[in-house]
Amino acid sequence: MQTDINAAYFKSIIDQDRCSVVICNLKHEIIYMNPTAVKSYEKWGGESLVGRSLLNCHNEESQKRIQQVIDWFAADESHNLIYTSHNVKQNKDVYMVALRDAEEKLIGYYEKHEFRNAETMEKYDLW
């Protein structure tokens, strides 16, 4: 597997995602938010959340659950994705996803939102 792909490609993939993506290190510090996440969390600080603890954005019960998931990710290299919630109002599912280095060591995690709404864009609508 090729591992020397330019980081700009990965950043572009995350930045183009229409769903919020919030990336954290193992200290729960937000290290990156894609533009959609910055906009989605604007009333809580938006881009100023980068560098802060994700745990500060959650109640005590959620903080425990987040740590429980991180412990689960760390327990086995095959533990990489967990469904955490469904937002009925926005019709979206929320997941936590493990981030691993080339040796499969856990280095962080991200929160991924996926909407369930059917696409309204026309296929191949270039004009």
Side-chain angles (χ1 to χ4, degrees):
M1 177 179 187
Q2 184 179 359
T3 58
D4 61 345
I5 299 173
N6 187 318
Y9 287 97
F10 292 105
K11 182 180 181 308
S12 183
I13 290 168
I14 297 300
D15 285 353
Q16 297 305 314
D17 201 316
R18 294 184 289 177
C19 295
S20 295
V21 178
V22 177
I23 302 173
C24 296
N25 62 24
L26 292 177
K27 293 189 257 180
H28 307 289
E29 296 165 331
I30 299 170
I31 60 171
Y32 190 76
M33 297 170 69
N34 73 346
T36 304
V38 168
K39 186 175 180 180
S40 295
Y41 298 113
E42 194 168 52
K43 71 179 181 179
W44 294 282
E47 193 168 1
S48 72
L49 295 171
V50 175
R52 296 185 183 173
S53 176
L54 178 82
L55 299 180
N56 293 338
C57 302
H58 293 275
N59 64 37
E60 190 175 326
E61 180 60 31
S62 293
Q63 292 175 14
K64 289 177 187 174
R65 291 295 246 173
I66 291 167
Q67 188 57 53
Q68 181 182 32
V69 172
I70 299 309
D71 293 344
W72 181 76
F73 285 161
D76 191 298
E77 293 174 357
S78 70
H79 296 172
N80 291 307
L81 176 81
I82 191 156
Y83 170 69
T84 62
S85 65
H86 177 73
N87 181 315
V88 176
K89 183 177 177 183
Q90 295 180 328
N91 196 29
K92 68 179 179 180
D93 294 323
V94 181
Y95 302 86
M96 284 179 68
V97 183
L99 296 172
R100 298 186 181 279
D101 65 15
E103 287 79 41
E104 297 299 322
K105 180 182 176 207
L106 184 66
I107 58 172
Y109 61 97
Y110 72 97
E111 180 180 78
K112 173 75 171 129
H113 299 238
E114 292 187 5
F115 291 93
R116 292 182 172 189
N117 301 331
E119 181 59 66
T120 58
M121 187 185 313
E122 293 293 324
K123 294 179 184 177
Y124 301 103
D125 187 11
L126 302 175
W127 301 272

